[in-house]
Amino acid sequence: MRYFAKLQGQKEAVPVDIEPLEGSRYRLTLNGQTHTVDALTLDHGAVSLLVDGDSYHVEFEENGDEVGVMVRGQVSRVDVADERRLRLRVGTAGFSVEGKQVITAPMPGKVVKVLVKVGEEVKEGQGLVVVEAMKMENELKSPKAGKVTELLAKEGTAVENNAKLVVVE
């Protein structure tokens, strides 16, 4: 099965081919490189992955086509679409981000640093807020160029999963 993945801040989607093998193993091809992946779903929803013999503990949070992925304490947001959905997006600027964008906490944690102010112009991929979760700091970045219109994050405050932190328009 072919998917297209675009990390937040990237301009182009990258094709990802996944071919099931025996058991819980898969052949994954990304950027022309092929990897063998063994995936085991854990009780609490996380996944233990062996990628070419290297072990990773991965947590996912789905929000429509966007997936929050936490690997080694770093959270990344990835827009994922299969070939059918990608074709449906053609003509609607599929991966471009438009309109008001709400940046939320990817998991419960504490706001340790606010990097912007209300009214500030930001670039796509620019850091907005740093949230500490599970003893790791995660910099949340702007999904688009625009202006910060709301700033609810305050340094030192605790936040819940999906708490609204910043709005960029």
Side-chain angles (χ1 to χ4, degrees):
M1 180 90 177
R2 174 165 275 190
Y3 294 91
F4 294 87
K6 178 179 169 275
L7 282 170
Q8 187 175 31
Q10 282 185 329
K11 299 288 183 203
E12 297 291 323
V14 175
V16 179
D17 293 308
I18 300 174
E19 177 187 344
L21 301 173
E22 69 281 346
S24 60
R25 295 184 44 192
Y26 300 86
R27 180 176 296 118
L28 181 136
T29 304
L30 173 68
N31 288 331
Q33 294 186 331
T34 300
H35 305 277
T36 302
V37 178
D38 194 341
L40 174 65
T41 303
L42 305 174
D43 290 337
H44 61 286
V47 177
S48 176
L49 295 177
L50 279 177
V51 181
D52 297 332
D54 293 325
S55 179
Y56 300 90
H57 177 87
V58 183
E59 294 187 30
F60 299 96
E61 179 181 86
E62 292 185 43
N63 186 7
D65 287 343
E66 186 179 88
V67 179
V69 181
M70 186 170 86
V71 180
R72 295 188 172 156
Q74 182 67 38
V75 176
S76 299
R77 298 220 177 264
V78 183
D79 187 347
V80 179
D82 62 17
E83 288 181 285
R84 180 180 165 279
R85 186 169 301 271
L86 191 66
R87 280 194 301 272
L88 290 172
R89 288 179 174 179
V90 172
T92 62
F95 284 97
S96 66
V97 177
E98 296 180 6
K100 180 167 108 173
Q101 297 296 306
V102 178
I103 292 75
T104 60
M107 60 189 60
K110 178 181 176 183
V111 176
V112 293
K113 194 167 202 173
V114 176
L115 305 170
V116 293
K117 296 180 176 114
V118 172
E120 185 174 333
E121 292 288 331
V122 295
K123 298 177 186 171
E124 182 177 340
Q126 179 178 336
L128 303 172
V129 177
V130 178
V131 176
E132 182 182 273
M134 299 173 59
K135 299 183 184 179
M136 298 299 287
E137 291 188 358
N138 301 293
E139 184 177 78
L140 305 181
K141 299 178 182 190
S142 180
K144 64 176 252 176
K147 183 188 282 188
V148 175
T149 58
E150 290 181 58
L151 182 60
L152 299 131
K154 294 191 183 356
E155 288 184 15
T157 60
V159 292
E160 294 297 320
N161 187 34
N162 289 323
K164 185 174 171 182
L165 301 174
V166 182
V167 175
V168 176
E169 290 192 52

